[in-house]
Amino acid sequence: MGKVVIVATLDTKGTEVAYLRDRLNALGVDTVVLDSGILGEPTGIVPDVSNAELAESGGTTIAELRASGTRGSAVALMRDRAVAWVREHHAAGELTGGISVGGVGSVMGAAAIQVLPVGIPKIVVAPTASGHHEFAPYVGTKDVLVMHSVVDILGLNPVLTTVFDNVAAAMAGMLQHGHPLTPPASDRRYVATTMLGNTTAAVGAVRDRLSEHDCETVVFHSNGVGGPAMEELAVDGQFVGVIDYTTNEINDPLVGGIHDGGPDRLRRVGLAGLPQVLVPACIDFSVWAPASIPQDMRSRPVYEHNPEYTLVLATHDEKAELGRIFAERVSETTGPALIIMPMRGLSIPATPDGPFWDPEGDAIFLAALRAHLRDDIDVRPIDLHANDPALGRIVADAFLDLLATAPIATSPKEYA
């Protein structure tokens, strides 16, 4: 077995990390301690990789990092060094898990251990890992276990040692009884798809139709994390193809909503050469916590999805922009692709008696999509609602046809 890397700022967390390291070692877990601290020297511990060594691994010195300007810029640079170090040493087969410990510094370590693939144990321990803070920096798109330390990590006490004892036990248990995600067996065909509550019925029909043809469906929640996670795993070779049914994650970046899929959403699967069918379901809205809706958007039609999330309708200008973005990203594909456009509404509130019913806006989206799309990529308008199971079956059949004629992608990772 390899080692579990512990990433922490040891100028303020050295004694505490030494305790956690010793508990892991007592349970038979080998460790390598990485010092991501910038301002001072480690206290109460001798790291396996010093902050000076870590800085020098990126071609700078710790003194240069300290003089780089703001604390934020120095932290960003050290975070990049830690990420690169973990990536390099995992690729060399030296790491079997990762733990990030700290307050604000835990975000540096979290970025580093997120390099580890799905199934490799990853734990973040932090007092800020609570419901009052954004969780994206801690988990990214990976299977990170987040442990709230309850108390601040400053001195050993019964609360902190109990938390650390359980962190060590969790890591030891995952290493002993868990396993990394392995490539699919040669006789299994997995297809990835995206879904929200607005498309559950249709995606269920997709799954059922695919199962009739010996394809198993892996469903991702398109909440700003699910889509990018799906794309990463697709590039890693987990799927024979993708049905990107719920592509709303390109809308929220335009207006600042919650379901932000980032600048590469809709790009990676195509660049990997995998067959894909795409449906612009749910691109007609952005997602917000009710109190966070900007003042200039409050006059728009809204739909209360649940007490935590309110959906806000896209304007016609935004739908035109979304059509362009959708087309330009899909046009980068190197593999077979097909777009199926529902013409009877793109989301549950988009019905003739619903607040998002907007045939004119949908036509604007479709026109922009066609205007900017590569000529050899087909768009099929279908006179059904996005969440109609009948549309799900049509989409599944179209994907199966695409899959039957698609060349086998031999090395998707080349396009990562």
Side-chain angles (χ1 to χ4, degrees):
M1 291 180 65
K3 297 180 178 181
V4 170
V5 61
I6 306 175
V7 187
T9 54
L10 300 183
D11 50 349
T12 59
K13 304 291 185 283
T15 300
E16 297 79 7
V17 169
Y19 177 89
L20 176 59
R21 175 203 60 194
D22 293 346
R23 292 302 304 143
L24 287 161
N25 294 164
L27 294 174
V29 178
D30 290 335
T31 55
V32 53
V33 177
L34 194 67
D35 185 5
S36 59
I38 298 168
L39 299 179
E41 298 306 313
T43 58
I45 190 173
V46 177
D48 299 294
V49 180
S50 70
N51 56 0
E53 292 175 286
L54 189 57
E56 290 164 6
S57 70
T60 58
T61 67
I62 191 66
E64 288 171 335
L65 280 182
R66 290 168 178 165
S68 62
T70 66
R71 182 176 184 271
S73 63
V75 168
L77 289 168
M78 187 62 97
R79 177 196 60 206
D80 293 344
R81 304 291 186 267
V83 167
W85 191 96
V86 172
R87 179 180 287 114
E88 176 187 349
H89 288 265
H90 174 260
E94 299 172 12
L95 302 178
T96 57
I99 300 175
S100 171
V101 178
V104 175
S106 67
V107 175
M108 273 195 288
I113 65 174
Q114 286 167 29
V115 170
L116 301 173
V118 170
I120 301 294
K122 298 171 278 288
I123 305 176
V124 171
V125 193
T128 50
S130 69
H132 294 285
H133 290 79
E134 171 64 47
F135 263 52
Y138 300 115
V139 301
T141 58
K142 295 296 176 60
D143 54 333
V144 179
L145 173 62
V146 180
M147 180 77 81
H148 183 209
S149 64
V150 183
V151 296
D152 209 343
I153 302 174
L154 184 63
L156 298 173
N157 55 69
V159 176
L160 188 63
T161 55
T162 296
V163 170
F164 276 179
D165 290 349
N166 287 336
V167 168
M171 177 57 71
M174 286 190 283
L175 289 171
Q176 184 174 358
H177 300 289
H179 64 85
L181 179 65
T182 56
S186 59
D187 61 342
R188 308 292 286 272
R189 297 195 300 174
Y190 294 96
V191 179
T193 189
T194 47
M195 186 182 82
L196 285 178
N198 273 257
T199 54
T200 300
V203 171
V206 168
R207 178 201 58 203
D208 294 344
R209 179 58 60 90
L210 291 179
S211 69
E212 296 170 5
H213 296 268
D214 298 320
C215 287
E216 300 174 64
T217 308
V218 182
V219 182
F220 293 80
H221 199 244
S222 58
N223 56 7
V225 177
M230 176 201 70
E231 291 171 328
E232 289 178 12
L233 291 171
V235 170
D236 284 343
Q238 290 295 323
F239 313 122
V240 296
V242 168
I243 297 176
D244 207 342
Y245 201 102
T246 313
T247 48
N248 59 293
E249 291 164 313
I250 66 169
N251 188 336
D252 287 51
L254 293 181
V255 292
I258 297 169
H259 290 184
D260 183 341
D264 292 326
R265 187 69 178 92
L266 302 187
R267 284 193 166 109
R268 302 188 71 192
V269 171
L271 290 172
L274 292 169
Q276 57 177 335
V277 175
L278 303 101
V279 182
C282 300
I283 59 88
D284 57 336
F285 63 73
S286 54
V287 183
W288 302 84
S292 70
I293 299 172
Q295 192 62 41
D296 62 356
M297 296 178 69
R298 290 182 178 269
S299 61
R300 300 190 192 185
V302 300
Y303 180 78
E304 185 179 333
H305 182 67
N306 60 41
E308 301 298 324
Y309 299 127
T310 296
L311 315 181
V312 179
L313 183 64
T315 66
H316 287 183
D317 286 344
E318 288 165 359
K319 285 189 174 181
E321 179 70 0
L322 289 164
R324 181 193 65 78
I325 292 170
F326 199 111
E328 291 181 351
R329 294 183 184 180
V330 176
S331 292
E332 296 175 4
T333 184
T334 63
L338 167 66
I339 299 170
I340 292 181
M341 175 72 185
M343 299 304 295
R344 297 295 296 169
L346 299 175
S347 58
I348 284 178
T351 58
D353 58 349
F356 288 2
W357 181 242
D358 184 22
E360 182 183 352
D362 294 351
I364 289 171
F365 169 85
L366 180 57
L369 174 67
R370 283 174 160 160
H372 295 278
L373 190 65
R374 210 171 70 198
D375 290 342
D376 62 324
I377 299 175
D378 189 22
V379 180
R380 295 183 194 170
I382 304 290
D383 193 31
L384 291 170
H385 188 272
N387 198 33
D388 192 325
L391 183 67
R393 289 187 286 271
I394 290 171
V395 169
D397 288 341
F399 174 81
L400 290 166
D401 290 343
L402 212 61
L403 186 63
T405 59
I408 298 173
T410 55
S411 182
K413 288 186 178 182
E414 293 176 5
Y415 304 97

